[in-house]
Amino acid sequence: MTDKQPTRRDLMKPIQLLGVAFASALFAGFVAVMSMGGFTGAGSEVVTSAWRVGGILAGIVFIAVLLGLALLLLVVDPRDVVTPTDKPILTQHEDDVDDGADGDAPGENRTE
């Protein structure tokens, strides 16, 4: 096993990010075209308008998903990905727990 630390570029995988954004854009554009009657015989104006709105929506979704994923990946520290975790993540640490030694119930605030 190698001890190579992952880089931010390894985590981001640009082709995968573009793929997810493109698939989301296709889905949103297809739903918009279907809901506006782009595949019906309602007339050329309706079909043209549906495809135009579908293309605009697909572009907006592509940019929004790509930007959102990129910003979320900036939060991840590459060193934390390879750090082994041997305890529960969502439980309190020992120093954060109030043991109630003063007679109060843990987490209880009393004013006297």
Side-chain angles (χ1 to χ4, degrees), residues 85-98:
T85 305
D86 59 348
K87 60 184 177 186
I89 297 173
L90 297 177
T91 59
Q92 292 181 341
H93 297 287
E94 291 82 22
D95 56 349
D96 294 341
V97 177
D98 184 16

Side-chain angles (χ1 to χ4, degrees), residues 1-110:
M1 190 161 115
T2 62
D3 292 332
K4 180 184 174 192
Q5 297 288 328
T7 62
R8 189 167 301 278
R9 185 169 181 91
D10 292 338
L11 290 176
M12 292 178 79
K13 306 263 194 244
I15 297 298
Q16 292 176 357
L17 289 177
L18 290 173
V20 168
F22 186 70
S24 301
L26 281 179
F27 179 75
F30 182 73
V31 168
V33 170
M34 286 290 292
S35 64
M36 291 185 67
F39 296 111
T40 62
S44 65
E45 289 182 21
V46 172
V47 173
T48 304
S49 174
W51 281 101
R52 184 180 309 123
V53 170
I56 292 169
L57 185 67
I60 291 170
V61 168
F62 178 78
I63 292 170
V65 169
L66 192 63
L67 182 65
L69 286 175
L71 287 175
L72 286 174
L73 282 171
L74 285 175
V75 175
V76 176
D77 187 18
R79 289 176 284 157
D80 290 342
V81 175
V82 295
T83 304
T85 305
D86 59 348
K87 60 184 177 186
I89 297 173
L90 297 177
T91 59
Q92 292 181 341
H93 297 287
E94 291 82 22
D95 56 349
D96 294 341
V97 177
D98 184 16
D99 59 358
D102 56 354
D104 295 338
E108 181 180 309
N109 293 328
R110 294 186 359 181

